[in-house]
Amino acid sequence: MQQRNIEEATERRVIDRTQLILDIFARHARSREGQLQVELAQLNYMLPRLTGKGTAMSRLGGKSGAGGAGERAGSRTHRRPRTRRKETGDGPARIRDRVRKIQNSIEDVRKQRALRREARNAVPLGTIALVGYTNAGKSTLFNALSRAEVLVSSRMFATLDPRSAR
């Protein structure tokens, strides 16, 4: 409620820490699965916050990477002069439908990944995984070992997606 009151008073979109992190993830997700997972997280986060928004947030505001589902509708609405809107209540239902579609798509992507993993495992080669904290040098080490040109950046969440190389 405080967030909504601040948005109305400032006529600007107000986000909390969680939404900021989700927006950053959306901006940086490159793989299909990553984009779907971020959109799913955004929708699940947004769903309980839709009460009282009316039709302004009832349509999804875009795909992952576009700054968050519903963001465009909400920010445009807050810049317009206030008008009475008919409360349809279909926003949550639309979001739940989209959540189901995304979950099915993620499951399809996981099945495809499992098939590719099986094919890789059929070839008798070793596998190495680089895992660690942010700014630990994983991308730099990956580039040195594989002669790849993966982005090396000290920005948070800049290298989210999994990479593989010889």
Side-chain angles (χ1 to χ4, degrees):
M1 192 64 175
Q2 290 174 343
Q3 182 177 353
R4 194 171 312 133
N5 290 340
I6 294 170
E7 284 178 346
E8 288 177 6
T10 62
E11 296 183 351
R12 298 275 186 246
R13 178 176 180 237
V14 175
I15 60 173
D16 61 9
R17 180 180 180 201
T18 303
Q19 187 61 52
L20 174 64
I21 290 169
L22 288 172
D23 286 353
I24 291 169
F25 274 131
R27 205 169 290 134
H28 293 286
R30 298 285 172 253
S31 70
R32 179 72 181 134
E33 184 178 14
Q35 291 170 347
L36 288 169
Q37 287 175 339
V38 171
E39 186 178 358
L40 180 62
Q42 287 177 319
L43 292 173
N44 282 327
Y45 182 74
M46 186 174 60
L47 192 57
R49 289 159 182 77
L50 278 182
T51 52
K53 295 277 188 183
T55 58
M57 299 293 282
S58 65
R59 299 212 182 261
L60 302 181
K63 297 224 184 262
S64 163
E71 174 183 332
R72 292 180 182 176
S75 58
R76 265 191 253 118
T77 301
H78 293 300
R79 285 190 214 119
R80 277 192 227 129
R82 290 270 166 209
T83 58
R84 299 259 320 148
R85 284 188 178 80
K86 181 182 169 191
E87 298 284 329
T88 62
D90 68 336
R94 286 179 186 268
I95 290 177
R96 280 190 280 277
D97 288 344
R98 180 69 184 147
V99 164
R100 276 190 291 278
K101 287 178 185 175
I102 292 172
Q103 288 170 333
N104 292 336
S105 296
I106 289 173
E107 190 56 38
D108 292 343
V109 169
R110 287 183 177 159
K111 287 176 185 174
Q112 293 169 1
R113 189 171 10 113
L115 288 173
R116 286 193 296 272
R117 184 182 306 118
E118 283 180 32
R120 277 195 314 270
N121 289 339
V123 178
L125 290 177
T127 303
I128 297 171
L130 299 175
V131 181
Y133 290 106
T134 301
N135 291 337
K138 298 178 297 295
S139 297
T140 302
L141 180 58
F142 182 81
N143 286 340
L145 292 173
S146 65
R147 295 186 183 96
E149 294 182 12
V150 170
L151 173 69
V152 176
S153 176
S154 61
R155 293 181 325 191
M156 296 282 281
F157 312 116
T159 55
L160 282 175
D161 293 315
R163 304 290 176 149
S164 62
R166 288 181 159 190

